[in-house]
Amino acid sequence: ELKVEQNPLFLSMQEGKNYTIYCNYSTTSDRLYWYRQDPGKSLESLFVLLSNGAVKQEGRLMASLDTKARLSTLHITAAVHDLSATYFCAVASAGNMLTFGGGTRLMVKP
Amino acid sequence: NAGVTQTPKFRILKIGQSMTLQCAQDMNHNYMYWYRQDPGMGLKLIYYSVGAGITDKGEVPNGYNVSRSTTEDFPLRLELAAPSQTSVYFCASSYQGGSYNEQFFGPGTRLTVL
């Protein structure tokens, strides 16, 4: 059974600081996704990571994947208040079924 | 394109009542999914479909039923609603065959069972 763990579950940051969210998963997979969810809203796709060593960047967010370690990271550079949201990683298994991590609630304070 | 649409947005049910959550997509996606999200948690897969007429169970299927008679629609049926089914329900769709197989999510239905 695939298990996906994120940490931390809650992160309070000052604007301008850097931080990393970690996503560990238990079995081999060929795809990992990162999503953003604002309170009361649906999920917005951020990144799709397909291969070992994959790195993708969009603005202040950068995601990477290490399939050998079964680890993905979401790095936040110089955080701004607009990045406050909950971030989920999700790992694909057969039939493109996704198993989600528990989410990381990010609060960026001025 | 409207993408993935869901109705209703909110619903309150009494214990033992039944209802159908509607989901439709206009992207000609072959795969469709139903997830539930409990407060402060990640999403859990209820059922999924790989095409019209084909459905299969996900992680938490008990208390739910689905059907897929067309490519566009994937309704979720709750029979004999229970308080444990209080949750936010998300429908998603994806096109299998590309590199990303990315799932696109609807706006969600917030269900309360009292």
Side-chain angles (χ1 to χ4, degrees):
Chain A
E1 180 188 353
L2 174 59
K3 294 190 183 298
V4 181
E5 292 187 357
Q6 281 182 244
N7 66 83
L9 297 182
F10 181 76
L11 178 56
S12 180
M13 299 175 63
Q14 294 292 126
E15 279 193 330
K17 298 292 186 182
N18 304 333
Y19 211 84
T20 301
I21 298 170
Y22 297 89
C23 174
N24 291 90
Y25 55 101
S26 61
T27 61
T28 302
S29 173
D30 60 356
R31 270 171 290 117
L32 187 141
Y33 303 83
W34 283 96
Y35 289 93
R36 169 182 171 144
Q37 186 179 38
D38 292 303
K41 302 293 186 181
S42 187
L43 277 75
E44 173 190 355
S45 178
L46 295 175
F47 301 109
V48 182
L49 301 170
L50 299 181
S51 60
N52 189 44
V55 177
K56 289 196 174 180
Q57 183 164 5
E58 180 73 32
R60 300 174 187 274
L61 300 178
M62 183 174 70
S64 66
L65 178 62
D66 182 343
T67 58
K68 293 179 181 178
R70 295 179 188 153
L71 171 68
S72 180
T73 61
L74 181 66
H75 186 72
I76 302 154
T77 302
V80 294
H81 179 69
D82 285 352
L83 290 179
S84 297
T86 299
Y87 293 85
F88 291 97
C89 65
V91 180
S93 56
N96 200 38
M97 291 192 290
L98 294 184
T99 300
F100 282 79
T104 296
R105 185 180 169 199
L106 174 66
M107 288 185 61
V108 181
K109 299 179 179 179
Chain B
N1 286 356
V4 180
T5 58
Q6 292 183 237
T7 56
K9 292 183 179 175
F10 304 94
R11 183 74 184 267
I12 298 175
L13 285 181
K14 294 182 179 179
I15 294 172
Q17 288 186 318
S18 301
M19 76 165 294
T20 299
L21 282 67
Q22 301 292 343
C23 173
Q25 54 90 12
D26 62 358
M27 298 176 281
N28 202 30
H29 286 172
N30 45 0
Y31 279 42
M32 296 186 75
Y33 315 81
W34 274 105
Y35 294 89
R36 61 176 286 173
Q37 184 180 30
D38 297 329
M41 306 289 285
L43 280 67
K44 292 187 177 181
L45 183 65
I46 305 171
Y47 270 95
Y48 68 102
S49 169
V50 301
I54 306 170
T55 63
D56 207 349
K57 297 177 181 179
E59 183 182 359
V60 289
N62 291 346
Y64 307 94
N65 280 298
V66 293
S67 59
R68 182 116 180 255
S69 56
T70 67
T71 300
E72 294 79 18
D73 300 297
F74 190 40
L76 177 72
R77 177 82 176 163
L78 278 73
E79 304 282 1
L80 300 174
S84 61
Q85 294 178 304
T86 293
S87 190
V88 180
Y89 292 83
F90 289 101
C91 179
S93 70
S94 68
Y95 175 72
Q96 296 305 104
S99 298
Y100 294 151
N101 297 339
E102 186 178 358
Q103 293 187 22
F104 295 86
F105 287 82
T109 294
R110 187 175 296 272
L111 175 67
T112 303
V113 182
L114 300 174

